[in-house]
């Protein structure tokens, strides 16, 4: 869930710790201080009185300083922060009830203790599956950590690891190629590990600003933006779902090779080994630099393998970068952009339909998704629910084994030639709803974003498409979009876009304008056009209740000119406002939108949404 949406759900006391940290960062002149000051200049009372959207914007501007603040907390090595952060950054753990989080925490501590016993046994057992080389690496790291922790005791000081010692230890773990899970196991084989009261854990995480806790709902929230930041701190370059997507493209011998390097049981199934590699925290970069290639592969062969993996497996053509490191960075950036993108790839209705039919065809899938993402609800195959956890259609399909995918495709008459997952996504695209979700992009004539979101359209068609979509929205608001009446009125010279027939000779005229340029600023030409429509209606003894102009946005000059016009009852409405009103109307008590709410010069979205929610 996005930070702004979480902040909207919480009271001021529940946001307090987070706001206080950002306030402290601002007081120390952060690198983006000028941009932050511009946002704060509109508020006399500082950050606490800024709206949630701008708090989210300020957090983005202070990201590097916030990251350093959290890194400092890691110096308290006994805080278990690594254990706790590894729990809350897992896919599906961004929203948790307190008791569910408590269960996950207890389970993690118990699991760690069991594995530490196993690791210690491996140290003492000459016949363990650990290779001599790996055992040597573990012993080197463990000895250095032991010295760093216990040298204080010898000097009659409290046992702890200083920031200098910690940076050396981290460098050593990287040079030895240890996964984060291996580091964690060795750390807690030396440092005392004990279960902390869950209330104290939540309080600690809230105080350092990484979680929010709603007392009313007894629920922990971790913002999507915070999850990405915490992943960087834990050096997990991509989300688990993208790691899984990449690993599933590798043959089992390669997966076995990775497992052997990181002490993973090779008797597990292929799918279990993949999950284990992800949970072990094996670096995605080091995996693609070294681990996925045949022994003795040349640099040229490695580049070719990676290019094929991206082009044929991940459907990414022309991966940027000339060196292997550059290509891997480009792939990480690609996954990061997908995760940040709020678009689902198919329409929301299409996603719901996909989930419904998946549940019918594969009845065990609900439990599989629930377990995979550690979700608390019993039934989880709901589009709105999954999107709050940033789980999208592709993430669900990635978890389904080939045999089940084939069954689902046959059950639902989906195209069988080509890539199964892409065929499924195409089948459930639901073009009209996808266009409606991209209504603002159509208004702005943004062909690139439309293409990225799965819509292919000619630029010459965008004006008419915007008009058609606006009609669909007004119909959904309960209006009578009367094309027959409009066509009878229109002349060759005067052709209004949309006519809403309110009966009793009363109408609303709607004009639609698309624009690539920011700030629609052509009042003189559009006003002449609208006045001619007005005269046409008046000649036919019609009462014009309202004239609405729909455009992507309006310049200040345009709004001023509109305010000064005394001849038309004209209101301006942006595409995003109309779209948001349509969404709010779906859950309102009204069967028909009360058009009296269209009374501002520039339609006030917030006021209308409040009126619809009553």
């Amino acid at each position: 869930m996005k930070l702004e949406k979480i902040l909207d759900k919480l009271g001021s006391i529940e946001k307090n710790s987070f706001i206080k940290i950002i306030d402290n960062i601002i007081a120390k002149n952060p690198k983006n201080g000028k941009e932050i000051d511009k946002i704060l200049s509109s508020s006399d009372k500082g950050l606490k009185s800024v709206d949630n959207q701008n708090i989210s914007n300020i957090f983005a501007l202070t990201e590097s300083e916030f990251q350093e603040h959290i890194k400092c907390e890691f110096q308290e090595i006994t805080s278990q922060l690594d254990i706790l952060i590894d729990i809350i950054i897992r896919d599906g753990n961004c929203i948790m009830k307190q008791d569910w989080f408590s269960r996950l925490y207890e389970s993690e501590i118990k699991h760690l203790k069991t594995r530490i016993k196993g690791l210690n046994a491996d140290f003492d057992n000459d016949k363990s599956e650990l290779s001599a080389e790996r055992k040597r690496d573990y012993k080197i790291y463990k000895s250095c950590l032991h010295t760093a922790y216990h040298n204080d005791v010898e000097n009659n000081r409290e046992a702890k690891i200083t920031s200098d010692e910690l940076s050396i230890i981290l460098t050593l773990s990287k040079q030895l190629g240890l996964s984060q899970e291996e580091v964690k196991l060795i750390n807690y084989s030396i440092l005392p590990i004990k279960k902390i009261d869950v209330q104290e854990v939540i309080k600690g995480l809230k105080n350092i600003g990484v979680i929010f806790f709603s007392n009313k709902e007894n629920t922990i929230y971790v913002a999507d933006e915070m999850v990405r930041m915490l992943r960087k701190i834990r050096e997990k370059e991509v989300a688990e779902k993208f790691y899984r997507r990449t690993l599933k493209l590798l043959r089992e011998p390669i997966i076995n090779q990775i497992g052997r390097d990181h002490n993973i049981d090779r008797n597990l199934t292929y799918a279990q080994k993949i999950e284990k590699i992800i949970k072990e925290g094996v670096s995605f970069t080091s995996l693609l630099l070294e681990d996925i290639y045949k022994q003795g592969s040349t640099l040229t062969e490695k580049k070719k393998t990676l290019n094929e993996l991206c082009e044929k497996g991940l459907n990414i053509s022309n991966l940027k970068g000339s060196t292997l490191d550059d290509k891997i960075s480009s792939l990480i950036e690609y996954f990061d952009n997908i995760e940040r993108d709020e678009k689902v790839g198919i329409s929301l209705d299409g996603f719901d339909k996909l989930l419904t039919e998946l549940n019918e065809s594969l009845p065990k899938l609900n439990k599989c998704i629930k377990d995979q993402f550690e979700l608390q609800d019993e039934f989880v195959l709901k589009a709105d629910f999954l999107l709050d956890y940033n789980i999208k259609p592709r993430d669900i399909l990635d978890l389904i084994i080939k045999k089940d995918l084939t069954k689902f495709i046959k059950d639902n008459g989906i195209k069988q030639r080509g890539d199964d997952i892409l065929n499924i996504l195409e089948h459930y695209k639901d073009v009209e709803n996808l266009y409606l979700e991209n209504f603002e992009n159509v208004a702005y004539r943004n062909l690139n974003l439309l293409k990225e979101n799965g819509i292919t359209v000619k630029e010459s068609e965008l004006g008419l498409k915007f008009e058609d979509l606006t009609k669909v929205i007004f119909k959904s608001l309960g209006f009578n979009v009367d094309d027959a009446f409009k066509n009878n009125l229109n002349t060759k010279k005067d052709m209004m876009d949309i006519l809403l027939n309110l009966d009793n000779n009363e109408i609303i005229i709607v004009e639609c304008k698309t624009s690539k340029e920011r700030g629609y600023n052509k009042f003189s030409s559009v006003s002449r056009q609208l006045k001619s429509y007005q005269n046409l209606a008046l000649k036919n003894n019609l009462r014009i209740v309202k004239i609405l102009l729909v455009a992507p946005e309006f310049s200040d000059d345009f709004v001023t000119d509109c305010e000064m016009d005394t001849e038309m009852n004209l209101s301006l409405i942006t595409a995003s406002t109309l779209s948001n009103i349509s969404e709010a109307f779906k859950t309102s008590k009204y069967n028909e939108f009360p058009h009296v709410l269209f009374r501002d010069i520039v339609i006030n979205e917030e006021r209308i949404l409040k009126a619809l929610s009553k």
Side-chain angles (χ1 to χ4, degrees):
M1 193 179 283
K2 293 282 181 289
L3 176 59
E4 184 186 344
K5 192 172 177 183
I6 293 173
L7 293 172
D8 286 341
K9 295 171 78 72
L10 302 171
S12 56
I13 294 171
E14 293 162 334
K15 305 175 195 174
N16 205 31
S17 298
F18 179 75
I19 301 251
K20 202 181 284 184
I21 292 162
I22 295 181
D23 251 336
N24 289 336
I25 290 170
I26 293 169
K28 294 173 184 173
N29 298 318
K31 67 176 182 181
N32 292 319
K34 287 182 181 176
E35 289 92 334
I36 294 166
D37 287 342
K38 281 179 190 173
I39 296 171
L40 292 175
S41 62
S42 60
S43 168
D44 298 329
K45 298 176 183 175
L47 192 58
K48 285 189 178 179
S49 60
V50 170
D51 65 42
N52 293 330
Q53 184 180 18
N54 276 320
I55 290 174
S56 181
N57 293 337
I58 290 171
F59 173 70
L61 291 168
T62 59
E63 186 176 336
S64 57
E65 289 86 0
F66 209 110
Q67 196 166 311
E68 285 307 309
H69 149 74
I70 297 169
K71 280 182 180 176
C72 288
E73 298 294 329
F74 271 90
Q75 290 177 23
E76 181 51 62
I77 199 99
T78 56
S79 68
Q80 298 183 6
L81 201 52
D82 52 353
I83 297 172
L84 299 168
I85 284 179
D86 285 350
I87 293 171
I88 64 177
I89 64 174
R90 283 184 209 145
D91 295 336
N93 285 354
C94 56
I95 306 170
M96 291 179 280
K97 293 288 185 189
Q98 180 184 306
D99 65 325
W100 186 251
F101 173 66
S102 179
R103 248 185 281 177
L104 292 177
Y105 171 58
E106 283 179 33
S107 171
E108 194 70 15
I109 296 289
K110 189 177 175 184
H111 177 66
L112 263 175
K113 286 181 175 178
T114 303
R115 290 202 61 199
I116 287 165
K117 278 183 187 175
L119 182 68
N120 289 335
D122 279 342
F123 276 134
D124 300 329
N125 183 2
D126 293 334
K127 293 181 179 178
S128 76
E129 286 203 3
L130 268 178
S131 67
E133 189 181 55
R134 206 58 176 156
K135 199 179 282 191
R136 183 208 62 194
D137 293 342
Y138 285 179
K139 283 181 176 175
I140 291 170
Y141 179 79
K142 187 174 182 180
S143 298
C144 292
L145 186 70
H146 186 276
T147 301
Y149 185 66
H150 287 285
N151 59 11
D152 291 312
V153 177
E154 292 170 15
N155 293 310
N156 201 25
R157 293 195 300 262
E158 181 190 354
K160 66 175 185 179
I161 293 175
T162 66
S163 59
D164 287 343
E165 288 170 337
L166 185 60
S167 66
I168 293 167
I169 293 292
L170 289 173
T171 303
L172 179 64
S173 69
K174 283 181 189 173
Q175 292 303 312
L176 293 173
L178 302 180
S179 72
Q180 288 192 335
E181 200 64 18
E182 289 168 316
V183 167
K184 204 194 289 182
L185 285 175
I186 298 169
N187 284 356
Y188 288 107
S189 69
I190 290 173
L191 308 173
I193 181 170
K194 59 181 181 180
K195 181 176 163 287
I196 305 168
D197 179 72
V198 72
Q199 295 280 7
E200 286 300 309
V201 170
I202 290 171
K203 184 181 174 185
L205 291 173
K206 195 175 82 165
N207 286 345
I208 64 170
V210 299
I211 68 165
F212 296 95
F213 185 70
S214 167
N215 293 307
K216 182 181 171 185
E217 297 174 3
N218 205 27
T219 299
I220 290 167
Y221 293 97
V222 193
D224 294 344
E225 298 92 325
M226 182 61 71
V227 169
R228 284 194 291 272
M229 181 191 289
L230 294 174
R231 265 202 236 111
K232 280 183 193 171
I233 290 168
R234 294 295 288 140
E235 297 186 357
K236 295 188 176 184
E237 303 99 323
V238 296
E240 291 178 0
K241 56 191 178 185
F242 301 129
Y243 205 149
R244 182 180 300 108
R245 189 179 300 178
T246 307
L247 286 173
K248 285 182 79 172
L249 299 170
L250 304 176
R251 293 181 302 109
E252 190 155 9
I254 299 294
I255 294 293
N256 286 337
Q257 181 180 301
I258 299 164
R260 190 162 47 245
D261 290 341
H262 294 282
N263 196 26
I264 292 167
D265 186 356
R266 292 191 298 283
N267 292 323
L268 297 172
T269 66
Y270 175 74
Q272 286 171 333
K273 279 181 275 198
I274 283 175
E275 294 307 317
K276 200 73 175 163
I277 290 167
I278 296 167
K279 292 288 185 289
E280 283 290 314
V282 177
S283 161
F284 187 71
T285 297
S286 69
L287 184 97
L288 297 181
L289 274 174
E290 301 292 342
D291 297 350
I292 67 168
Y293 309 105
K294 293 175 186 172
Q295 296 290 336
S297 292
T298 64
L299 185 58
T300 305
E301 287 168 340
K302 286 181 179 181
K303 283 185 188 177
K304 186 184 176 187
T305 301
L306 185 59
N307 282 337
E308 285 178 357
L309 183 80
C310 293
E311 288 171 18
K312 295 179 183 176
L314 297 167
N315 294 295
I316 308 167
S317 54
N318 302 318
L319 190 68
K320 289 186 288 184
S322 54
T323 68
L324 200 59
D325 287 283
D326 289 343
K327 287 178 182 294
I328 294 166
S329 296
S330 295
L331 180 57
I332 291 169
E333 186 183 346
Y334 168 81
F335 283 138
D336 187 50
N337 289 336
I338 291 178
E339 190 178 17
R340 288 172 187 271
D341 188 2
E342 292 184 40
K343 301 297 180 203
V344 184
I346 62 177
S347 74
L348 195 59
D349 287 351
F351 192 12
D352 263 326
K353 187 167 186 266
L354 167 64
L355 292 169
T356 300
E357 292 181 358
L358 277 170
N359 189 47
E360 288 168 1
S361 189
L362 307 170
K364 292 181 181 175
L365 182 64
N366 182 66
K367 185 177 185 308
C368 167
I369 300 301
K370 183 177 180 297
D371 293 346
Q372 180 67 59
F373 293 113
E374 296 182 331
L375 300 169
Q376 191 171 4
D377 287 37
E378 280 309 311
F379 186 74
V380 299
L381 296 180
K382 298 170 285 187
D384 281 329
F385 173 83
L386 291 172
L387 289 174
D388 275 344
Y389 289 86
N390 204 14
I391 299 168
K392 297 176 183 173
R394 177 70 195 251
D395 307 328
I396 299 294
L397 296 174
D398 277 336
L399 293 171
I400 302 173
I401 60 172
K402 177 75 176 172
K403 183 182 73 172
D404 286 345
L405 269 184
T406 303
K407 178 184 184 301
F408 176 70
I409 285 168
K410 286 178 180 174
D411 285 353
N412 291 279
I414 298 165
K415 189 173 83 172
Q416 295 182 41
R417 291 185 65 184
D419 185 283
D420 287 346
I421 288 176
L422 295 183
N423 288 343
I424 292 169
L425 292 174
E426 184 64 32
H427 185 80
Y428 289 93
K429 192 177 274 186
D430 187 354
V431 176
E432 184 179 273
N433 277 302
L434 192 56
Y435 265 111
L436 286 170
E437 287 176 14
N438 284 274
F439 185 58
E440 195 175 2
N441 289 330
V442 175
Y444 276 117
R445 306 183 75 86
N446 194 331
L447 282 173
N448 289 334
L449 264 180
L450 289 169
K451 191 174 180 182
E452 280 177 32
N453 294 329
I455 293 173
T456 305
V457 62
K458 292 177 183 174
E459 187 168 8
S460 59
E461 297 170 356
L462 286 172
L464 191 58
K465 178 55 71 176
F466 185 58
E467 186 181 315
D468 288 342
L469 292 171
T470 306
K471 283 182 185 178
V472 171
I473 290 174
F474 277 109
K475 282 177 185 174
S476 74
L477 292 171
F479 286 106
N480 175 13
V481 178
D482 198 335
D483 282 338
F485 190 16
K486 179 192 77 172
N487 292 337
N488 284 335
L489 285 176
N490 279 350
T491 66
K492 287 182 179 179
K493 186 182 170 188
D494 299 318
M495 301 183 72
M496 61 184 85
D497 288 342
I498 300 170
L499 184 145
L500 307 180
N501 190 345
L502 306 179
D503 296 329
N504 302 318
N505 287 334
E506 292 185 335
I507 63 168
I508 293 174
I509 296 170
V510 183
E511 182 66 13
C512 306
K513 296 293 181 187
T514 61
S515 177
K516 269 186 180 179
E517 297 166 15
R518 293 274 161 180
Y520 192 70
N521 197 23
K522 298 174 182 175
F523 186 78
S524 57
S525 61
V526 81
S527 65
R528 283 195 300 272
Q529 195 179 2
L530 292 174
K531 280 170 188 171
S532 66
Y533 299 158
Q534 178 176 270
N535 292 334
L536 182 66
L538 293 173
K539 278 180 192 174
N540 285 275
N541 300 314
L542 297 172
R543 178 175 172 262
I544 302 167
V545 172
K546 174 66 68 178
I547 299 174
L548 286 171
L549 177 60
V550 187
E553 62 176 77
F554 302 95
S555 69
D556 292 342
D557 287 345
F558 193 102
V559 174
T560 302
D561 288 342
C562 184
E563 287 171 339
M564 301 296 286
D565 187 275
T566 57
E567 296 179 37
M568 291 186 292
N569 183 10
L570 174 62
S571 287
L572 312 176
I573 184 166
T574 65
S576 65
T577 293
L578 184 56
S579 183
N580 291 337
I581 288 170
S582 172
E583 282 302 307
F585 180 75
K586 290 175 185 176
T587 55
S588 75
K589 65 183 179 183
Y590 298 99
N591 294 321
E592 184 179 321
F593 181 82
H595 59 78
V596 292
L597 293 175
F598 288 143
R599 59 173 175 261
D600 313 295
I601 296 296
V602 180
I603 298 299
N604 185 322
E605 179 183 321
E606 189 178 345
R607 180 179 59 76
I608 290 180
L609 296 188
K610 275 184 183 174
L612 290 175
S613 66
K614 284 181 179 177

